[in-house]
Amino acid sequence: MEPAATKRREGKKSLRVKVISLGNAEVGKSCIIKRYCEKRFVPKYLATIGIDYGVTKVQVRDREIKVNIFDMAGHPFFYEVRNEFYKDSQGVLLVYDVGLRESFEALDSWLTEMKQEMGSTANMDSIVFTVCANKVDLSKRRVVDEGEGRLWAESRGFNYFETSAQSGEGINEMFQSFFSSIVDTCENGGKRPVAESTAGFTKEQADTIRRIRTSKDSWDMLGVKPGATREEVNKAYRKLAVLLHPDKCVAPGSEDAFKAVVNARTNLLKNIK
Ligand code: GTP
Ligand code: MG
């Protein structure tokens, strides 16, 4: 056994970590970082050219962390510059603008770009991802609600925060939790600890809710072909009802999804002889 004094010294060892920001152009990546590091907000849009680099020191529990922040440009034009910087990241801020649906829907392609650049040997499970639903101060133009954003994030084991670089809402809490998850991961031998909030629902439930929200009609919602029989509709309904029943499913949005499925079944059965 090691002497307690050695352990205490090790516990205080400083850490160097690398984090990157990802997300479409103009969603607020640079402003989120500026709000945290410089405590100010710049209303004028100054597009990041390729990449911005900065260093900050933070304290997490008994450790001093030196954070190297690589703030990526979201514009597709800068892909060639960005792709150099994915490797060795320990934390990723995935940012979207709650007033722009396409910026939310682009999160998957940002993950794809990252995976591609990191290569097949990279272990995504050792990276902490935090999703920032940004610009929540502009509540009137909001089109992606909290449930939808949270579901996307938590079903992947990512942290989720509502933020505003303009008002400062959620920024400190988000960074505190982000850095502390990175330290947890380092202390856990490089494996991301399972986020508490992901407990209680499965990826299948989360994906199904997302599919239901974006389905184009009642057939699509139940996952049956147009013209399906009563039996086929009922069979599909029963499967979804078991998966999404509010008594069994605690995923955000499950109640609405369940109601939508009940309505879809009723609509379809009305028109099937
Ligand atoms: P790229 O560098 O091009 O990838 O963009 P970015 O994601 O870094 O966006 P940036 O931080 O430069 O912000 C884009 C615009 O959105 C600027 O005009 C900001 O002032 C504005 N903005 C950023 N965050 C917020 C926010 O939380 N609320 C409001 N109202 N505006 C914001
Ligand atoms: Mg920027």
Side-chain angles (χ1 to χ4, degrees):
M1 222 171 87
E2 292 171 63
T6 316
K7 274 200 175 152
R8 260 203 310 279
R9 259 203 315 281
E10 282 195 347
K12 291 202 172 108
K13 240 190 346 201
S14 69
L15 265 180
R16 285 171 79 98
V17 302
K18 172 182 173 180
V19 304
I20 59 174
S21 65
L22 288 186
N24 280 7
E26 232 172 307
V27 294
K29 299 177 295 296
S30 303
C31 284
I32 287 175
I33 294 165
K34 200 166 257 138
R35 164 62 77 184
Y36 179 72
C37 295
E38 299 174 22
K39 311 274 176 276
R40 65 191 181 103
F41 175 68
V42 185
K44 190 167 179 279
Y45 175 42
L46 295 163
T48 303
I49 308 297
I51 205 123
D52 273 341
Y53 169 72
V55 189
T56 188
K57 275 189 185 157
V58 295
Q59 186 77 23
V60 176
R61 299 187 291 273
D62 61 345
R63 298 191 92 141
E64 185 170 273
I65 320 293
K66 191 170 172 194
V67 188
N68 295 286
I69 306 177
F70 293 81
D71 176 26
M72 308 270 212
H75 198 284
F77 180 76
F78 295 112
Y79 166 69
E80 295 292 337
V81 184
R82 273 197 312 267
N83 63 13
E84 304 274 324
F85 291 91
Y86 283 112
K87 286 210 173 70
D88 305 320
S89 302
Q90 284 144 294
V92 178
L93 287 184
L94 274 173
V95 185
Y96 69 93
D97 173 347
V98 295
L100 288 175
R101 175 159 289 278
E102 63 267 29
S103 73
F104 172 63
E105 283 168 358
L107 294 181
D108 278 313
S109 52
W110 282 105
L111 284 181
T112 307
E113 180 177 304
M114 177 169 179
K115 275 184 206 159
Q116 237 165 33
E117 295 313 318
M118 307 249 308
S120 54
T121 53
N123 182 6
M124 300 288 274
D125 287 343
S126 65
I127 302 169
V128 172
F129 288 88
T130 290
V131 175
C132 301
N134 193 42
K135 306 200 189 183
V136 292
D137 56 289
L138 302 173
S139 54
K140 284 211 183 95
R141 66 187 269 285
R142 184 165 188 161
V143 292
V144 184
D145 67 20
E146 180 176 351
E148 198 173 352
R150 194 175 276 287
L151 184 67
W152 187 90
E154 294 184 353
S155 61
R156 286 164 178 77
F158 301 170
N159 303 318
Y160 171 89
F161 282 87
E162 303 242 302
T163 59
S164 165
Q166 193 257 11
S167 69
E169 182 183 337
I171 301 288
N172 283 342
E173 297 87 328
M174 181 276 289
F175 274 106
Q176 281 287 317
S177 146
F178 183 50
F179 295 139
S180 112
S181 297
I182 293 173
V183 174
D184 289 346
T185 303
C186 292
E187 289 176 353
N188 195 33
K191 203 164 160 30
R192 178 174 6 127
V194 178
E196 267 169 43
S197 45
T198 60
F201 65 92
T202 63
K203 184 162 185 320
E204 186 189 7
Q205 287 172 323
D207 288 346
T208 306
I209 293 169
R210 187 165 160 73
R211 193 185 60 71
I212 287 168
R213 278 173 182 260
T214 54
S215 57
K216 56 183 193 296
D217 56 30
S218 299
W219 303 108
D220 190 30
M221 185 177 289
L222 288 190
V224 293
K225 288 204 184 84
T229 62
R230 289 183 86 83
E231 289 69 35
E232 284 166 335
V233 167
N234 278 325
K235 194 171 161 207
Y237 165 76
R238 275 195 299 275
K239 198 168 161 228
L240 289 170
V242 168
L243 194 68
L244 300 175
H245 195 283
D247 288 351
K248 302 224 175 64
C249 181
V250 296
S254 60
E255 209 171 313
D256 286 345
F258 181 73
K259 281 186 207 150
V261 166
V262 172
N263 288 339
R265 173 188 178 240
T266 311
N267 284 341
L268 293 180
L269 290 185
K270 253 195 264 166
N271 298 313
I272 300 175
K273 293 258 157 53

